[in-house]
Amino acid sequence: MEIDVTWFLLGLPLAFVLGWLASRLDMRQLRIDNRRSPKAYFKGLNHLLNEQQDEAIDAFIEAVQKDPDTSELHFALGNLFRRRGEYDRAVRVHEHLLARGDLSNAERERAQHALALDFLQAGLLDRAEDALGKLEGSKFETQARLARLAIYERTRDWPQAERIAQQLQTSGQGDFSTRAAHYLCEQAAGQSPEQQHKLLSKAIELAPQSGRARIALAELAEQAGDTHEALNLLLAVIESAPSATPLIADKVAMLAIQSQRAGNVQPVLQALYDSTHSLDVLQALAKLRASASGESALREQQLAHLKQEPSLVIAAQLLKTQSLDQDIQRALDKAAQPLLRYRCASCGFEASRHFWQCPGCQSWDSYSTRRVEEL
């Protein structure tokens, strides 16, 4: 059977034309898809600017479906889910990104950090800690360490918190010595006296300017019956951290009286009172003077204070010596009571006692050692 080559020659131009048409159709479809994808993306941005998160999510989902390889769209979608509180969907988006083999190292680290934030905001602290630990050595290392530090503080895992604080200090991310000293003081609580002494001594080495560890050591010495050593430690607090003096002034006066060193301690407290006019230091001075001169010394000290500083607290205490009606005295005491509280400088939370860490906002050293009336 002979094959007529004429048909082949006639078919070649036809095949070329059909191939050209097919390529044109493919290019046209590609341009249409490319136009639709940015359109959905910008539509989502527009919804975001108008704070229409539901519509923005729908638009980004549409864009991701049309271009599943675009990592930026996945990041935008995952962040939107997290902001809306849909943490399970945010986790799925970021885990899908991490599962991709074509992701660059920078994008992989970014996805790992986003996944850690999903777990953190969802309250899954153990999974967040594990995800943050995988960011060691990345550009997110410092942020991850700070987040882990917050987790350890929240779970009261003080040894781990101290370790992270030391890492941040070593890497030059700020001064974490005072916070690390607080962690050591927290660890000391409930330990044996020997272990407490070891941890508190280490805290003093880390942050000699912080008074908390010395105050705790003074309590240990007092419990052991060594009032002389306890007083020396508190006097060292006054020297190294004078702002903490109002917290220990009453104890200093009591120990000075017990160890018969009131004459040596009074000038120290007087110098501090002259510069600060602290109510607590005033009460301690009055106690020292009363032990030597009687109750009249207390009244004289209080009257002298009122001439320099108006104080409802002191006025209420002075009027107790007068023959006031009990209802009037009760009303004065009630009005003065809130003025004796301590206040957090970060969140304004007030409490009847001083905290080293605010129970409201968890800030360290945010409580002033001065009473509310003095602020």
Side-chain angles (χ1 to χ4, degrees):
M1 178 179 179
E2 286 190 14
I3 299 175
D4 190 352
V5 295
T6 306
W7 291 105
F8 284 103
L9 294 174
L10 291 173
L12 283 175
L14 180 62
F16 175 78
V17 170
L18 291 174
W20 180 80
L21 288 174
S23 66
R24 293 294 295 173
L25 288 173
D26 288 342
M27 289 297 294
R28 182 181 178 187
Q29 185 62 39
L30 182 61
R31 284 196 296 270
I32 292 173
D33 291 342
N34 287 339
R35 281 197 298 267
R36 285 179 179 174
S37 182
K39 183 178 180 182
Y41 180 74
F42 288 118
K43 183 179 177 182
L45 286 179
N46 182 57
H47 287 310
L48 272 184
L49 292 173
N50 291 314
E51 298 184 357
Q52 298 171 328
Q53 294 190 10
D54 291 336
E55 292 81 356
I57 286 175
D58 293 337
F60 282 130
I61 289 176
E62 179 186 348
V64 167
Q65 288 172 344
K66 293 184 181 301
D67 191 3
D69 295 330
T70 304
S71 59
E72 285 299 330
L73 290 177
H74 284 79
F75 282 121
L77 191 58
N79 291 338
L80 269 176
F81 283 142
R82 189 193 314 128
R83 286 175 59 185
R84 279 178 49 84
E86 299 182 42
Y87 303 116
D88 54 339
R89 300 180 74 180
V91 166
R92 286 200 298 271
V93 169
H94 293 129
E95 284 181 339
H96 172 72
L97 275 172
L98 287 171
R100 283 172 49 178
D102 61 339
L103 214 60
S104 66
N105 286 335
E107 288 184 324
R108 189 169 298 279
E109 291 173 358
R110 183 181 171 190
Q112 183 66 41
H113 181 246
L115 181 63
L117 292 181
D118 297 338
F119 290 140
L120 192 61
Q121 293 193 22
L124 303 174
L125 300 184
D126 53 343
R127 299 184 69 179
E129 179 188 353
D130 180 63
L132 290 165
K134 295 177 181 178
L135 290 167
E136 286 291 318
S138 72
K139 68 176 184 179
F140 296 99
E141 181 181 72
T142 299
Q143 298 176 47
R145 285 177 176 176
L146 289 171
R148 289 167 71 193
L149 189 63
I151 290 174
Y152 295 139
E153 286 187 2
R154 186 172 171 182
T155 58
R156 303 185 69 79
D157 189 345
W158 303 120
Q160 289 280 41
E162 181 205 349
R163 180 178 63 83
I164 295 296
Q166 293 284 21
Q167 289 179 350
L168 288 165
Q169 177 91 10
T170 304
S171 62
Q173 299 303 321
D175 185 5
F176 287 83
S177 59
T178 302
R179 192 178 289 195
H182 279 304
Y183 299 151
L184 289 166
C185 292
E186 293 287 348
Q187 291 181 60
Q191 301 288 336
S192 65
E194 295 78 13
Q195 188 65 16
Q196 287 186 57
H197 197 280
K198 179 181 177 181
L199 290 168
L200 294 172
S201 298
K202 183 179 178 182
I204 292 174
E205 291 178 10
L206 279 177
Q209 77 284 358
S210 177
R212 183 182 182 183
R214 285 192 176 91
I215 293 173
L217 278 177
E219 292 176 356
L220 278 178
E222 185 183 6
Q223 291 169 7
D226 193 346
T227 57
H228 183 78
E229 176 64 15
L231 181 57
N232 285 340
L233 285 165
L234 293 182
L235 291 175
V237 172
I238 294 176
E239 182 178 352
S240 60
S243 62
T245 303
L247 300 177
I248 59 172
D250 184 72
K251 180 66 70 175
V252 167
M254 185 187 73
L255 292 173
I257 294 170
Q258 290 178 0
S259 58
Q260 299 182 347
R261 294 166 62 185
N264 296 328
V265 170
Q266 185 171 331
V268 177
L269 292 181
Q270 186 65 55
L272 276 169
Y273 172 74
D274 291 341
S275 61
T276 63
H277 293 100
S278 165
L279 292 175
D280 290 287
V281 177
L282 168 66
Q283 298 288 68
L285 274 172
K287 182 178 288 188
L288 287 176
R289 294 184 63 189
S291 66
S293 307
E295 290 297 325
S296 61
L298 173 59
R299 179 178 174 80
E300 291 175 7
Q301 194 85 40
Q302 290 172 331
L303 286 171
H305 180 85
L306 282 178
K307 289 180 180 179
Q308 301 178 63
E309 300 285 339
S311 170
L312 179 60
V313 172
I314 298 300
Q317 292 176 358
L318 271 170
L319 290 172
K320 283 185 178 180
T321 61
Q322 307 297 318
S323 299
L324 286 180
D325 182 84
Q326 290 185 355
D327 293 332
I328 296 177
Q329 187 64 56
R330 192 182 303 113
L332 286 171
D333 291 340
K334 185 176 180 180
Q337 195 63 37
L339 301 177
L340 289 171
R341 295 174 181 166
Y342 298 97
R343 179 185 295 161
C344 173
S346 294
C347 68
F349 187 88
E350 293 185 4
S352 57
R353 69 183 185 91
H354 181 271
F355 289 97
W356 298 104
Q357 184 185 26
C358 176
C361 65
Q362 307 301 310
S363 299
W364 290 97
D365 293 317
S366 60
Y367 265 80
S368 172
T369 58
R370 308 292 294 271
R371 308 285 181 165
V372 167
E373 187 182 59
E374 304 172 85
L375 299 178

